[in-house]
Amino acid sequence: MVEGSMTQGAGQGPEVERTATLRDFRVPAYVHETGPYADSTRPGDTAPPAEETYPEGYTPTRRDLPVINRGDTLQVSVDPAAGPAAQPDNGPGPLYVVGDVHGYLDQLLAALQEQGLIDSEGQWCAGTARLWFLGDFTDRGPDGIGVIDLVMRLSAEAAAAGGYCKALMGNHELLLLGAKRFGDTPVNSGAGTATFQAAWLLNGGQKTDMDRLQDHHLQWMARLDAVEEVDGYLLVHSDTTAYLDYGDSIEAVNDTVRETLTRNDADECWDLFRKFTKRFSFRDEGGADAVRSLLDTYGGTRIVHGHSPIPYLLGEVGSEDGEDTGGPVIEGPHVYAEGLAIAMDGGVTMAGKLLVRQLPLDT
């Protein structure tokens, strides 16, 4: 299949200064707004769900992948000498991918500028370059809505310059949509009763994001594709084979996901969210075969994903008991599964690195 047909609206320096991020886990104040989200449930206080046993691979009603040294904003310096991305003489522009952002707007701006995709004012300066975000714009970090606003704006600016900026659906987009639409409405989690609201709070939901969430953000997220193939790279958010449950072609998967969200059934949306929360399918024995099952079905010669932080894929997660380990050292994407998979989540929420890289990778 050719590149996505939908036009979507719209690094970390050597030494950083950390400032505290607001973390308020009270139930967010929902705004009254027009459009299809106007009738969203307004939840009251929700107790965290009981600890229960979940099928291996996902735990959407528990805190997903405990974060090391989370909850801070990194003020990042950028090399002012970084210039615009190199342009080809003809044909499509260079291809770039962005790993999980999780509300870290400053780091995103710095990484995009370092790659020559935006200028010092945050404006698109990369001409015909093609930029794909792999999903997870919000939660855990301080400014998820600011990240979405930036991606929407860059989409318009890139299109006007002859390039594009597009994005995929991550599990945290599904989580935020569910928290807004369904609140504390009980859903069948497969292991007892759960709610989107409780799962959102447990997995880094930020009150400031919910307070600023508007109808056009919700509409934009609900229209995102789940899978795309570009230049032989199969782009997905999650390192899971669960996409195969939703269709045998890229178009079928994307249509099924959008139709599920349009039907607005809480249990259906929860099932979609929990499957997109699965991870590590490509990591261990049989991982390369799992990648091949996706490539054989949807096309491409390598898969590029976010979702699972590279430190977790490498088993280098540091300490979870408050010890200062200095954070994981992430130099770039992680290539694994017999060279068939490229992981792009550098673990920015763990004091790792927000990755923006051109494909193919430098060898």
Side-chain angles (χ1 to χ4, degrees):
M1 179 178 176
V2 296
E3 297 172 17
S5 58
M6 180 180 65
T7 301
Q8 298 162 351
Q12 206 159 282
E15 197 64 35
V16 297
E17 175 187 354
R18 298 178 181 274
T19 57
T21 295
L22 173 66
R23 291 191 64 212
D24 185 347
F25 286 112
R26 293 173 298 177
V27 173
Y30 285 74
V31 295
H32 295 277
E33 51 194 22
T34 59
Y37 301 91
D39 297 328
S40 299
T41 302
R42 293 168 175 80
D45 290 335
T46 303
E51 292 288 331
E52 301 184 71
T53 302
Y54 281 80
E56 184 177 357
Y58 62 90
T59 53
T61 57
R62 298 178 186 171
R63 187 171 290 106
D64 182 38
L65 288 183
V67 174
I68 314 303
N69 297 330
R70 67 175 293 272
D72 51 13
T73 304
L74 306 183
Q75 305 301 323
V76 186
S77 60
V78 181
D79 180 2
Q87 301 292 303
D89 294 333
N90 50 58
L95 175 65
Y96 293 82
V97 289
V98 184
D100 297 33
V101 182
H102 283 300
Y104 284 86
L105 179 59
D106 289 345
Q107 288 86 327
L108 175 59
L109 289 167
L112 292 172
Q113 187 178 347
E114 183 180 10
Q115 292 292 325
L117 295 165
I118 62 173
D119 60 23
S120 60
E121 301 299 318
Q123 308 296 311
W124 182 265
C125 68
T128 61
R130 299 166 295 159
L131 178 63
W132 275 98
F133 285 81
L134 299 178
D136 277 9
F137 302 103
T138 66
D139 302 338
R140 297 183 176 143
D143 196 1
I145 298 302
V147 170
I148 292 175
D149 285 337
L150 173 67
V151 177
M152 293 175 71
R153 174 172 62 78
L154 290 180
S155 179
E157 294 176 1
Y164 67 64
C165 170
K166 298 182 181 182
L168 294 180
M169 174 80 71
N171 60 304
H172 280 263
E173 281 68 67
L174 293 169
L175 183 57
L176 182 56
L177 284 167
K180 179 61 175 176
R181 290 183 179 186
F182 307 116
D184 61 357
T185 300
V187 295
N188 182 4
S189 72
T193 300
T195 72
F196 271 105
Q197 177 71 13
W200 177 71
L201 292 173
L202 282 167
N203 288 287
Q206 301 292 306
K207 179 182 184 296
T208 50
D209 282 344
M210 190 64 79
D211 287 347
R212 296 162 59 202
L213 188 62
Q214 299 180 37
D215 190 66
H216 67 276
H217 299 128
L218 295 161
Q219 297 279 8
W220 181 81
M221 287 190 292
R223 291 196 300 266
L224 295 175
D225 287 336
V227 187
E228 284 297 343
E229 187 271 323
V230 188
D231 293 358
Y233 296 97
L234 186 65
L235 309 180
V236 297
H237 173 69
S238 302
D239 47 326
T240 177
T241 58
Y243 295 94
L244 296 169
D245 295 344
Y246 291 94
D248 58 5
S249 70
I250 290 175
E251 183 178 13
V253 173
N254 292 333
D255 286 347
T256 301
V257 170
R258 274 192 287 272
E259 288 164 4
T260 299
L261 293 174
T262 299
R263 283 192 295 271
N264 210 35
D265 178 89
D267 287 325
E268 268 195 293
C269 290
W270 178 267
D271 191 58
L272 178 65
F273 160 66
R274 72 179 181 86
K275 287 182 177 178
F276 276 33
T277 304
K278 293 182 178 182
R279 63 174 79 248
F280 301 143
S281 293
F282 315 148
R283 184 183 64 176
D284 300 319
E285 184 178 357
D289 289 335
V291 174
R292 290 187 185 98
S293 71
L294 291 168
L295 297 176
D296 290 346
T297 301
Y298 302 127
T301 57
R302 298 178 97 180
I303 197 163
V304 184
H305 70 85
H307 189 47
S308 291
I310 293 171
Y312 280 92
L313 291 170
L314 296 174
E316 299 172 355
V317 297
S319 169
E320 295 179 12
D321 57 9
E323 296 179 7
D324 184 8
T325 61
V329 177
I330 301 299
E331 300 297 337
H334 174 48
V335 180
Y336 67 116
E338 298 180 11
L340 296 175
I342 301 173
M344 283 293 299
D345 184 352
V348 65
T349 64
M350 306 162 61
K353 190 171 186 179
L354 199 161
L355 296 178
V356 179
R357 288 294 187 272
Q358 184 177 349
L359 297 177
L361 298 173
D362 293 333
T363 56

